Amino acid sequence: MVRSGVPRAVGNVGEHRDDQGDSLDALVSFLRARMDERWRGALTAGASFASRTWSARPGRVESADGGTVALTSTGDAREERSRSRHIIRNDPAHALRRLESTRRLIERYELLHADPVEGPEGEVLLREYAEVVLPLLALPFSDHPDHRPQWSPREESSRR
């Protein structure tokens, strides 16, 4: 369930370092900061519950409360439908759900780090988060000035 305010952050539970000695705390903090920015943006774009869900209408996108979100008329019906669909797939309600799933992945990493699974399975799981999951979560923000090159996902085949 998506809450109305900025989600609570799980506090740092010790220092997280990857194999190169770079702090993963900075990556987790970076992700949280970007998520907080997006969360506030989604709440601003959809201040009330009814204004968070958008739908396509001829020539425009509107919120459930009837407010016009965007004009999409282009003179080309196919292009207009495509624009409208793209906009409604990124409405505040969807953005908040997406952010909630990201928050839960980061929280899961924090919990696993604080109370690691014993044995090689735990090491593999933490490495998977450090080397794959967290960098993939940071990928949409790779153009942000605070993004560090070492946070980019490694170019590996996802099929093993």
Side-chain angles (χ1 to χ4, degrees), residues 38-136:
R38 299 283 171 101
W39 194 277
R40 284 188 300 273
L43 290 177
T44 299
S48 71
F49 185 76
S51 65
R52 290 184 191 150
T53 303
W54 300 344
S55 57
R57 299 286 182 254
R60 70 184 191 287
V61 171
E62 69 179 35
S63 60
D65 62 4
T68 298
V69 173
L71 299 176
T72 58
S73 55
T74 63
D76 179 341
R78 185 174 179 205
E79 183 180 339
E80 183 179 314
R81 280 191 306 275
S82 181
R83 284 182 180 193
S84 294
R85 285 184 188 132
H86 176 74
I87 292 169
I88 63 176
R89 281 192 299 258
N90 291 285
D91 68 6
H94 180 83
L96 292 169
R97 289 190 302 269
R98 190 171 50 239
L99 288 164
E100 178 66 11
S101 69
T102 301
R103 183 197 64 78
R104 288 181 186 191
L105 285 169
I106 293 170
E107 184 175 72
R108 180 73 178 145
Y109 167 75
E110 291 284 342
L111 294 172
L112 286 168
H113 186 276
D115 189 18
V117 176
E118 295 296 323
E121 298 86 9
E123 292 173 20
V124 169
L125 190 55
L126 281 172
R127 185 174 298 118
E128 182 78 8
Y129 265 92
E131 295 177 1
V132 178
V133 176
L134 295 176
L136 286 173

